[in-house]
Amino acid sequence: YLNKWGYDYDYYYYSSAWSVANGPCNQDGECISSPNFPNPYFGLQSCDIRVHEAMGPISVEAFDTESSFDILFVNGLGYHGLHTPHGVTPTTHITWTSDYIINGQGWKICATPPTAHAGPTWAVVDGPCTQDGACISSPNFPG
């Protein structure tokens, strides 16, 4: 959100594209892991991971959870067992929850930079506007 001076608070406050908002998950630079990783996580745990800005797809370094019960939610979809969110670009906050029976080895996911988009391409097809590479200017600009 913007602070009272019009600056994006999230951009200036956080140095990472995401961070652990609450819970026992661990963050090391651009990577976040389940509690106790690389050892098995414990039961009845949950974490919230806040996605601060546009980021690229998730890179999964390890992922092993109890299928159907210990779930990492990315963009509202649940990932569990050996089904990973590798390559998924998060657009909303991420949550982790484990039940109390069987615990897996856990997971470690890392943020990657957003991929560059070619962007829209355009051309002046009619009228007095001028084009310089990807820029189009009105007549007589800068006048």
Side-chain angles (χ1 to χ4, degrees), residues 22-132:
N22 63 51
C25 290
N26 302 302
Q27 182 164 6
D28 182 15
E30 292 298 321
C31 295
I32 297 177
S33 58
S34 56
N36 209 37
F37 185 85
N39 298 309
Y41 54 85
F42 300 106
L44 299 176
Q45 292 185 316
S46 64
C47 298
D48 293 312
I49 300 167
R50 183 168 179 183
V51 176
H52 299 292
E53 57 191 63
M55 60 181 270
I58 292 171
S59 173
V60 174
E61 293 196 5
F63 201 90
D64 176 28
T65 69
E66 180 189 10
S67 187
S68 301
F69 297 100
D70 299 342
I71 304 172
L72 184 71
F73 288 94
V74 180
N75 297 340
L77 298 175
Y79 296 90
H80 51 88
L82 299 177
H83 177 63
T84 78
H86 187 77
V88 175
T89 300
T91 57
T92 61
H93 299 321
I94 297 169
T95 59
W96 158 251
T97 183
S98 63
D99 74 353
Y100 60 93
I101 299 177
I102 299 170
N103 302 326
Q105 251 346 92
W107 47 266
K108 181 177 181 181
I109 56 177
C110 299
T112 63
T115 54
H117 296 288
T121 57
W122 49 56
V124 176
V125 293
D126 188 27
C129 293
T130 58
Q131 183 170 353
D132 181 15

